[in-house]
C-alpha cells in the first residue's frame, strides 16, 4: 500500500517480507530513490509474545517497533485502537482550546459555532474512525480523558436574555 512517499508493506512471513523489501529496493534504485533507514520500521503482529528483533540487510538495518503512525493513524502490534482513540480525543480537545475565544464569544451565533464544531473539531476526532475495529464493547472509562465535555462549553457562553424587574 502506498500513498505519496509513504509505503506500507504487508507480509505473512519473514521470507515474503524480505522478498517484498528486495523488490522495493530494486525498484527504488531504478528511479533514483533511496530507502531512508531512520524512517523505515517494521511491526510484527502476532498472537504470540515475540522478542524484539531488528531485521538486518546489507547496508540496511530495520528496527522493530510496537506501534507507528501511518497516514495519521496509530497502528500497533496488538491491533488495539485505544491509543488511536486517545490520540484523536487529545487532538480534538486541542482544536477546541485553540478556538476557545471563538466558542466563548457572545458575538458569534450558535449556528457559526456549530458549523466550526462540525467542520473542524468533529472531523479531527473521527478521522479514520471507519477503519476502527472493536474487539470488545468499548468502555469509555478505559480511555483517560477529561470528564467535562468541551462541546457543552460552546453553548454555555451564549447570550442570556436579561430579565428586568
Amino acid at each position: 500500500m502506498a500513498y505519496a512517499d509513504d509505503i506500507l508493506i504487508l507480509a505473512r512471513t519473514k521470507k515474503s517480507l524480505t522478498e517484498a523489501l528486495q523488490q522495493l529496493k530494486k525498484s527504488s534504485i531504478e528511479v533514483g530513490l533511496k530507502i531512508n533507514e531512520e524512517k523505515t520500521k517494521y511491526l510484527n503482529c502476532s498472537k504470540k509474545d515475540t522478542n524484539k528483533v531488528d531485521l538486518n540487510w546489507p547496508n540496511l538495518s530495520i528496527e522493530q517497533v510496537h506501534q507507528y503512525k501511518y497516514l495519521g493513524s496509530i497502528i500497533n502490534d496488538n491491533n488495539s485502537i485505544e491509543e488511536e482513540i486517545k490520540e484523536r480525543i487529545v487532538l480534538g480537545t486541542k482544536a477546541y482550546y485553540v478556538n476557545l475565544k471563538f466558542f466563548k464569544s457572545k458575538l458569534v451565533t450558535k449556528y457559526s459555532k456549530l458549523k466550526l464544531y462540525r467542520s473542524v473539531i468533529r472531523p479531527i476526532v473521527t478521522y479514520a474512525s471507519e477503519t476502527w475495529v472493536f474487539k470488545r464493547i468499548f468502555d469509555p472509562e478505559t480511555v483517560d480523558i477529561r470528564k467535562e465535555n468541551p462541546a457543552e462549553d460552546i453553548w454555555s457562553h451564549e447570550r442570556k436574555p436579561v430579565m428586568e424587574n
Side-chain angles (χ1 to χ4, degrees):
M1 194 165 38
Y3 181 81
D5 65 343
D6 289 329
I7 298 173
L8 174 66
I9 298 174
L10 302 171
R12 290 194 178 270
T13 65
K14 191 173 181 179
K15 180 183 177 191
S16 60
L17 175 63
T18 303
E19 290 170 0
L21 285 170
Q22 286 173 341
Q23 182 61 40
L24 173 65
K25 190 171 185 179
K26 179 183 170 197
S27 299
S28 61
I29 289 172
E30 287 175 5
V31 293
L33 298 175
K34 180 181 166 191
I35 297 174
N36 186 333
E37 187 174 335
E38 290 185 18
K39 291 183 178 181
T40 304
K41 311 286 182 209
Y42 87 96
L43 181 76
N44 183 11
C45 295
S46 175
K47 290 181 181 180
K48 295 182 251 170
D49 196 18
T50 57
N51 294 331
K52 184 176 175 185
V53 179
D54 295 345
L55 294 176
N56 292 305
W57 272 16
N59 303 328
L60 183 64
S61 177
I62 303 174
E63 175 190 1
Q64 180 181 2
V65 294
H66 295 289
Q67 77 176 26
Y68 65 94
K69 193 175 260 194
Y70 181 70
L71 300 179
S73 293
I74 297 172
I75 302 170
N76 57 35
D77 57 1
N78 61 1
N79 202 24
S80 170
I81 60 161
E82 278 86 8
E83 289 300 316
E84 174 69 12
I85 292 171
K86 286 179 190 177
E87 175 80 8
R88 295 276 125 218
I89 291 169
V90 166
L91 292 173
T93 303
K94 285 181 181 178
Y96 167 75
Y97 282 106
V98 163
N99 294 291
L100 189 60
K101 284 185 181 181
F102 181 85
F103 285 123
K104 285 188 172 188
S105 174
K106 294 178 182 179
L107 302 173
V108 179
T109 66
K110 226 182 230 190
Y111 175 79
S112 296
K113 292 175 185 181
L114 189 57
K115 192 161 181 128
L116 179 69
Y117 168 77
R118 286 183 178 153
S119 63
V120 176
I121 296 172
R122 188 167 57 188
I124 289 171
V125 175
T126 60
Y127 176 78
S129 62
E130 58 277 354
T131 64
W132 298 347
V133 177
F134 293 98
K135 293 181 184 175
R136 63 187 190 296
I137 296 174
F138 182 70
D139 179 13
E141 297 300 318
T142 63
V143 179
D144 184 26
I145 61 169
R146 293 178 346 128
K147 297 301 178 198
E148 305 144 28
N149 183 357
E152 290 174 1
D153 287 345
I154 294 170
W155 314 123
S156 65
H157 301 288
E158 286 300 312
R159 210 177 279 183
K160 307 239 188 307
V162 178
M163 300 193 63
E164 295 183 21
N165 293 337

